[in-house]
Amino acid sequence: MTTENDFSHATLTTRVTVRDLLPRDLPACTWSGSATHLRHVERELTRAAAGEVDYLAVCTPVDLPVAIGGVDYQVSQGAGTLWQLAVLPALQSCGLGTLLVRAAEQRILNRGLRRAELAVEEDNPRARALYERLGYVAHGREPDAWDEEGPDGSIRRHEKMCILLRKSL
């Protein structure tokens, strides 16, 4: 039985675009991480201007980023390395991650490269399943670490074991 006040199911369809992430977008990307993370993304945009990386944004019709992520061309010779991929939590499982990865792969191909690589935390099976669905294959493991900002503003070192995946394009 459905009542007129039952709003538990709705379908919304909207167009999104993929473009370069810009410094002016960062205030709208607080969902992707802490202030420390966003400062790091801002530094990566300087590298994007130098052509070392691409940093992409999937945007709504009003030009708000709802998924972001980068491709680093300096990590592995002959490959683009996808990193810092994030989707607005409320919009996960809507195809935005797939769109972001596909756009990143196209950027890699546009550079004349034929391989994409990435690392995913071992304790993130949802993301790993997405990458494997998109054709990425595990080829190793390695530890990774980065600074993480706590709710109180303190910085701590975050260390995780990651699965390395790659895909021929």
Side-chain angles (χ1 to χ4, degrees), residues 43-57:
R43 286 190 300 273
E44 294 303 327
L45 293 180
T46 302
R47 292 184 62 216
E52 297 174 5
V53 304
D54 281 318
Y55 217 112
L56 306 175

Side-chain angles (χ1 to χ4, degrees), residues 86-133:
V87 175
L88 180 70
L91 296 177
Q92 290 176 356
S93 297
C94 294
L96 298 173
T98 296
L99 179 63
L100 180 61
V101 170
R102 296 281 193 230
E105 291 171 349
Q106 187 59 54
R107 293 287 182 104
I108 293 167
L109 286 168
N110 291 348
R111 297 248 183 160
L113 303 173
R114 298 290 177 253
R115 191 174 74 247
E117 299 180 345
L118 58 84
V120 62
E121 296 172 31
E122 280 186 328
D123 62 357
N124 191 350
R126 185 175 177 180
R128 182 176 177 181
L130 167 66
Y131 304 136
E132 288 176 343
R133 228 177 11 260

Side-chain angles (χ1 to χ4, degrees), residues 69-83:
V71 182
D72 194 325
Y73 301 102
Q74 308 294 306
V75 175
S76 182
Q77 186 173 349
T81 302
L82 284 66
W83 98 120

Side-chain angles (χ1 to χ4, degrees), residues 2-163:
T2 303
T3 68
E4 69 180 62
N5 293 328
D6 183 5
F7 298 107
S8 62
H9 293 66
T11 301
L12 174 66
T13 303
T14 189
R15 291 191 183 275
V16 293
T17 57
V18 180
R19 62 167 173 77
D20 290 329
L21 184 72
L22 303 170
R24 67 177 166 84
D25 295 321
L26 294 178
C29 295
T30 56
W31 53 266
S32 71
S34 67
T36 299
H37 169 72
L38 289 174
R39 283 191 297 275
H40 180 73
V41 172
E42 187 173 28
R43 286 190 300 273
E44 294 303 327
L45 293 180
T46 302
R47 292 184 62 216
E52 297 174 5
V53 304
D54 281 318
Y55 217 112
L56 306 175
V58 177
C59 297
T60 66
V62 294
D63 209 30
L64 287 174
V66 291
I68 62 173
V71 182
D72 194 325
Y73 301 102
Q74 308 294 306
V75 175
S76 182
Q77 186 173 349
T81 302
L82 284 66
W83 98 120
Q84 295 185 344
L85 303 173
V87 175
L88 180 70
L91 296 177
Q92 290 176 356
S93 297
C94 294
L96 298 173
T98 296
L99 179 63
L100 180 61
V101 170
R102 296 281 193 230
E105 291 171 349
Q106 187 59 54
R107 293 287 182 104
I108 293 167
L109 286 168
N110 291 348
R111 297 248 183 160
L113 303 173
R114 298 290 177 253
R115 191 174 74 247
E117 299 180 345
L118 58 84
V120 62
E121 296 172 31
E122 280 186 328
D123 62 357
N124 191 350
R126 185 175 177 180
R128 182 176 177 181
L130 167 66
Y131 304 136
E132 288 176 343
R133 228 177 11 260
L134 295 176
Y136 287 79
V137 177
H139 68 92
R141 300 170 65 228
E142 73 178 18
D144 197 1
W146 55 91
D147 290 336
E148 186 173 75
E149 185 175 338
D152 63 354
S154 64
I155 304 296
R156 68 177 178 91
R157 195 73 178 157
H158 185 80
E159 298 179 2
K160 290 283 185 165
M161 184 59 71
C162 291
I163 304 293

